Amino acid sequence: MQGKAQDSETITFLGTGGARFMIISQLLASGGLWLNLGGTEILVDPGPGCIIQATKRKLRAEKLSAIIVSHRHLDHSADVNVMVEAMTEGGQRHHGTLFAPSDALEKDPIIFSYLKDRLDRVTALQEGMSYSTGNVVFSTPVRHLHPVETYGLVFKTSKHKFSIITDTSYFDGLEQSYGGELLIINMTFLEPRSRSKNDELPTDHLSVPDAERLIRELKPRAAILTHFGMTVWKAKPWEVAEQLSQRTGTRVMAARDGMTFDLAELDKTEGQTAQ
Ligand SMILES: [Zn+2]
């Protein structure tokens, strides 16, 4: 049964790749997440290729209310300029809000100043704050453990609550900041890596054991894994997800490039599957 488009709440994965080697090879796309929450459309983390992934799927940037950047790393922000260009219809219409941490907006900003001027608003994200855009409220409960200022997101609509746990090292208490019926987890590594002192090896990302711990603690109705680095990709994310489902008793899915998840799935009785 199909609800009216205005009522439906969907999340489209414009990419499932994460971290530098996946991004520079584009083995997996890196366009971020496109949310349509009861008619309020929000783009989260427009990484490289977002404009291509979005237009290919006939997602219309002029309908966006906001673009949210969780942090300034390239795989989350590279296409922010072109997406603002699209959101404002090539500059013909002042429109929309850009949300990003202050270190993405101040020195060495991710957005060109001429494009920034076309937005209605630019808002610096802060720890423990709530924001609204259209009919959606979201919050940035905690600053993540990541080399740049980084926030995960908790969204509340009239029907659902869900969390996007973006890049971070696991830290005690991480799970206390998140919740909802759905958890989206940026699970970049297969195994935990200790923090490196130099920048030679990418660290500060969640691994499979971290994701398992979060799912066990938070017991969402479903979890979707994404932002896969090379080690997870080689281990086949859908197989990793299946193992996590069996171990936790929670329905765990691996996102696929272009996949759209309908939040109405969360309201179905247990035992029904998405795919
Ligand atoms: Zn990052």
Side-chain angles (χ1 to χ4, degrees):
M1 198 163 55
Q2 202 76 25
K4 277 186 285 178
Q6 279 303 97
D7 299 332
S8 74
E9 299 189 326
T10 59
I11 299 171
T12 299
F13 292 81
L14 297 179
T16 56
R20 66 193 80 174
F21 301 114
M22 200 49 103
I23 299 311
I24 60 180
S25 67
Q26 287 289 303
L27 272 174
L28 293 170
S30 52
L33 304 177
W34 192 292
L35 316 181
N36 187 338
L37 303 173
T40 296
E41 299 190 37
I42 301 168
L43 175 61
V44 178
D45 282 352
C50 180
I51 186 75
I52 293 166
Q53 299 299 327
T55 50
K56 199 160 89 176
R57 295 183 173 84
K58 303 200 165 31
L59 295 167
R60 292 169 56 190
E62 68 272 19
K63 290 187 168 179
L64 288 169
S65 300
I67 298 174
I68 306 172
V69 173
S70 69
H71 66 293
R72 62 172 300 131
H73 281 159
L74 266 188
D75 48 339
H76 300 257
S77 70
D79 266 14
V80 72
N81 285 294
V82 72
M83 293 315 293
V84 168
E85 177 89 333
M87 180 163 75
T88 59
E89 297 177 55
Q92 292 183 58
R93 187 166 67 107
H94 275 247
H95 169 65
T97 306
L98 172 65
F99 296 92
S102 56
D103 83 343
L105 298 170
E106 289 164 3
K107 182 171 157 277
D108 195 13
I110 57 170
I111 175 118
F112 294 134
S113 54
Y114 81 96
L115 288 168
K116 197 170 156 180
D117 291 344
R118 295 178 183 171
L119 292 160
D120 281 340
R121 236 181 344 265
V122 177
T123 301
L125 298 171
Q126 288 177 281
E127 184 175 53
M129 298 293 284
S130 286
Y131 309 88
S132 66
T133 182
N135 50 20
V136 173
V137 174
F138 72 93
S139 61
T140 44
V142 68
R143 183 170 174 166
H144 282 189
L145 204 51
H146 205 55
V148 295
E149 190 180 354
T150 304
Y151 301 104
L153 304 162
V154 180
F155 285 89
K156 280 188 199 133
T157 71
S158 55
K159 294 191 220 159
H160 295 104
K161 178 180 172 187
F162 63 96
S163 295
I164 301 174
I165 307 180
T166 181
D167 296 4
T168 187
S169 277
Y170 182 83
F171 55 90
D172 280 340
L174 176 64
E175 59 273 10
Q176 284 159 23
S177 297
Y178 295 101
E181 301 112 273
L182 173 69
L183 278 191
I184 296 171
I185 304 174
N186 282 12
M187 190 193 74
T188 306
F189 295 154
L190 203 56
E191 301 291 341
R193 296 186 195 176
S194 55
R195 303 190 81 190
S196 67
K197 290 193 187 70
N198 56 39
D199 205 28
E200 288 302 303
L201 264 180
T203 57
D204 292 325
H205 287 284
L206 295 170
S207 63
V208 176
D210 298 327
E212 181 170 347
R213 177 153 45 172
L214 290 166
I215 293 164
R216 280 187 196 283
E217 290 285 333
L218 291 169
K219 300 181 179 58
R221 298 209 68 171
I224 303 178
L225 311 172
T226 187
H227 213 60
F228 307 126
M230 211 57 92
T231 56
V232 177
W233 181 238
K234 285 182 181 153
K236 302 188 175 75
W238 52 95
E239 289 184 5
V240 175
E242 177 56 32
Q243 289 157 13
L244 283 175
S245 292
Q246 286 173 9
R247 286 211 295 272
T248 62
T250 291
R251 181 175 152 211
V252 182
M253 290 162 274
R256 301 266 192 168
D257 285 355
M259 176 178 109
T260 295
F261 181 80
D262 190 332
L263 296 186
E265 296 262 346
L266 300 166
D267 309 328
K268 289 181 181 173
T269 51
E270 277 176 45
Q272 290 183 272
T273 55
Q275 288 151 340

